[in-house]
C-alpha cells in the first residue's frame, strides 16, 4: 500500500516482531521480547516498545498452535475454511450426517496436532501428553467456534483454547427448516397446492443442506489426505535425516579411531626421535673424546720422537 511504512520502524515492523515473538519457544520468549522492546525504545519508538513489552508469554500448547499456523500456512488456511463449512453443515445435518462429519473432524484434528508436535520437536521442544491434549483442544475449538478461529488465525495465542461443549447445531426440536413442531401444529392447515409448494421448498432446502454437507465432507477428506501425505513426507525426511546422522556418526567414530592411532604413532615417533637425538649427542661426545685422545697421542708420539728431548 502506497505510503505505508514497512520495516522495523513502521507498523508492519512491530507487527512482524510480535508475530515472530509468538512463534518463539516460551523459554526464549521473555529475553527476545525485552531485546526487541529495548531496540524499539533506542530507536525512539516508545509506543512500539510498550506494545512489545505488553506481550505475554504463551503456554507451550499455545506456542505450538502459533507455530503450526506460521509454519503450515496453506494447511492452516484450509483448516479455517473447513471449520466454517463444518459449522454451517452441522446446523443443517441429521444425526447420521453429524456422526460422519464428527469422525472426519477428529481425524483432521489428530493429523494437525501431530504436525504441531513434530514442528515443536524440530524446534528442540518435545510436547508432553497434557500439552498435546491442549493442542487438540485448541484445534477443536477452532473448528467449532468462530471467535476461537479468529483468535488462532491472528497467530498470537497466549493460552490453549477450549471448545464449546458440543459442535454448533440447531436446537433439539427445531428441524432443518427452522420451524418447531408446536409452530407447525398451530399453523393453519394448508391447501393441497400449498402443501405441494411447501413440500417442494422443504425438498429444495434439504437438497441444499445435503449439498453443503457433502461439500464439507469432501473438503474434510481432501484436507485429511493432504495432511496424511505431508506427514508421510515428514516421516520420509526424518528417516533420511536419521540415516545421514548414523552415517556421519559412523564416519566420526572412524575418524576418532584413526586420530587415536595417529596420536599413538606420533607419540612413538616422538619417543624414537628423542632417543635418536640422545644417541646422536652421545655419539658426538664419543667422537669428540676420541679426537682429543688422538690429538694427545699424536703430540706424545711427536715429543718422544724429538732428539732434543
Amino acid at each position: 500500500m502506497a505510503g505505508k511504512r514497512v520495516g522495523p520502524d513502521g507498523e508492519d515492523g512491530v507487527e512482524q516482531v510480535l508475530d515472530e515473538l509468538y512463534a518463539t519457544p516460551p523459554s526464549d520468549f521473555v529475553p527476545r521480547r525485552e531485546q526487541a522492546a529495548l531496540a524499539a525504545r533506542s530507536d525512539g519508538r516508545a509506543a512500539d516498545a510498550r506494545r512489545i513489552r505488553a506481550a505475554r508469554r504463551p503456554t507451550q500448547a499455545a506456542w505450538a498452535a502459533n507455530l503450526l499456523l506460521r509454519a503450515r500456512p496453506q494447511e492452516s488456511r484450509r483448516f479455517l475454511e473447513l471449520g466454517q463449512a463444518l459449522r454451517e453443515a452441522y446446523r443443517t445435518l441429521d444425526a447420521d450426517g453429524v456422526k460422519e462429519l464428527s469422525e472426519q473432524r477428529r481425524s483432521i484434528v489428530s493429523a494437525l496436532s501431530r504436525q504441531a508436535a513434530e514442528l515443536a520437536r524440530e524446534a528442540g521442544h518435545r510436547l508432553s501428553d497434557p500439552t498435546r491434549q491442549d493442542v487438540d483442544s485448541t484445534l477443536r475449538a477452532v473448528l467449532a467456534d468462530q471467535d476461537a478461529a479468529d483468535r488462532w488465525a491472528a497467530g498470537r495465542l497466549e493460552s490453549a483454547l477450549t471448545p464449546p461443549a458440543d459442535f454448533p447445531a440447531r436446537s433439539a426440536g427445531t428441524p432443518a427448516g427452522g420451524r418447531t413442531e408446536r409452530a407447525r401444529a398451530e399453523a393453519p392447515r394448508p391447501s393441497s397446492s400449498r402443501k405441494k409448494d411447501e413440500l417442494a421448498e422443504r425438498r429444495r432446502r434439504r437438497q441444499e443442506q445435503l449439498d453443503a454437507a457433502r461439500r464439507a465432507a469432501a473438503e474434510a477428506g481432501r484436507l485429511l489426505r493432504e495432511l496424511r501425505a505431508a506427514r508421510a513426507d515428514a516421516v520420509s525426511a526424518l528417516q533420511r535425516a536419521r540415516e545421514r546422522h548414523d552415517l556421519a556418526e559412523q564416519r566420526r567414530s572412524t575418524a576418532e579411531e584413526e586420530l587415536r592411532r595417529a596420536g599413538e604413532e606420533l607419540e612413538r615417533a616422538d619417543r624414537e626421535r628423542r632417543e635418536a637425538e640422545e644417541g646422536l649427542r652421545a655419539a658426538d661426545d664419543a667422537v669428540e673424546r676420541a679426537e682429543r685422545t688422538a690429538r694427545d697421542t699424536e703430540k706424545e708420539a711427536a715429543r718422544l720422537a724429538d732428539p732434543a728431548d
Side-chain angles (χ1 to χ4, degrees):
M1 183 180 297
K4 189 171 185 180
R5 302 176 67 192
V6 179
D9 294 334
E11 179 66 19
D12 286 355
V14 71
E15 296 299 331
Q16 181 181 352
V17 168
L18 291 172
D19 287 342
E20 292 175 352
L21 268 179
Y22 279 98
T24 298
S27 58
D28 300 330
F29 183 90
V30 172
R32 291 195 181 183
R33 180 191 65 188
E34 297 307 307
Q35 182 181 10
L38 180 60
R41 184 170 294 279
S42 299
D43 290 341
R45 296 180 288 118
D48 289 349
R50 285 194 295 271
R51 284 193 62 194
I52 294 170
R53 186 160 281 123
R56 293 292 173 261
R57 182 175 62 181
T59 64
Q60 197 84 353
W63 163 70
N66 293 334
L67 184 63
L68 174 66
L69 180 79
R70 187 176 180 87
R72 297 288 186 269
Q74 183 175 357
E75 292 92 333
S76 299
R77 177 182 57 79
R78 295 280 301 278
F79 188 69
L80 289 166
E81 293 173 352
L82 176 63
Q84 185 174 1
L86 287 178
R87 288 191 293 274
E88 179 60 30
Y90 266 79
R91 295 187 183 96
T92 59
L93 281 178
D94 55 20
D96 291 338
V98 167
K99 180 179 179 182
E100 180 181 355
L101 282 185
S102 295
E103 293 173 354
Q104 290 181 324
R105 178 167 53 97
R106 284 191 292 270
S107 298
I108 291 169
V109 165
S110 178
L112 267 184
S113 179
R114 282 196 299 270
Q115 284 203 14
E118 289 168 2
L119 289 169
R121 184 167 57 250
E122 290 172 5
H125 298 267
R126 186 178 295 274
L127 301 185
S128 64
D129 289 341
T131 301
R132 284 284 302 270
Q133 292 172 5
D134 285 343
V135 174
D136 288 355
S137 172
T138 297
L139 294 175
R140 290 199 308 272
V142 169
L143 283 183
D145 181 67
Q146 182 63 52
D147 179 64
D150 293 341
R151 291 176 62 190
W152 181 59
R156 299 176 189 174
L157 290 180
E158 297 177 359
S159 59
L161 301 176
T162 302
D166 197 4
F167 219 85
R170 60 180 180 270
S171 59
T174 302
R179 297 178 62 195
T180 63
E181 295 293 336
R182 179 179 178 183
R184 284 207 305 269
E186 292 176 351
R189 298 179 65 84
S191 64
S192 176
S193 175
R194 187 176 175 185
K195 281 183 178 180
K196 291 180 180 179
D197 291 342
E198 289 185 352
L199 179 60
E201 178 63 17
R202 284 197 298 271
R203 286 176 176 171
R204 184 188 65 80
R205 285 199 301 266
R206 177 61 181 169
Q207 185 61 46
E208 289 178 352
Q209 295 158 7
L210 182 59
D211 291 343
R214 285 173 176 169
R215 286 194 298 271
E219 179 65 16
R222 283 194 296 270
L223 180 56
L224 183 58
R225 287 192 296 272
E226 289 179 5
L227 292 174
R228 285 173 174 167
R231 184 177 186 277
D233 291 342
V235 170
S236 299
L238 178 60
Q239 181 62 31
R240 290 193 298 270
R242 284 174 173 169
E243 290 173 356
R244 289 195 298 271
H245 176 272
D246 292 343
L247 180 59
E249 182 68 24
Q250 182 179 359
R251 289 175 176 172
R252 184 178 68 85
S253 298
T254 301
E256 288 178 347
E257 178 63 21
E258 292 177 353
L259 182 61
R260 185 186 62 79
R261 292 176 180 175
E264 292 177 351
E265 291 177 2
L266 180 62
E267 289 180 359
R268 285 196 298 272
D270 191 56
R271 187 167 56 252
E272 291 173 358
R273 178 185 61 80
R274 289 195 301 270
E275 292 174 354
E277 288 175 348
E278 292 175 358
L280 177 60
R281 285 195 296 272
D284 287 343
D285 292 343
V287 169
E288 185 178 355
R289 288 194 300 270
E291 288 176 347
R292 284 199 304 269
T293 301
R295 287 194 300 271
D296 292 346
T297 302
E298 288 177 357
K299 289 179 180 179
E300 182 66 18
R303 187 184 64 78
L304 293 175
D306 189 350
D309 292 337

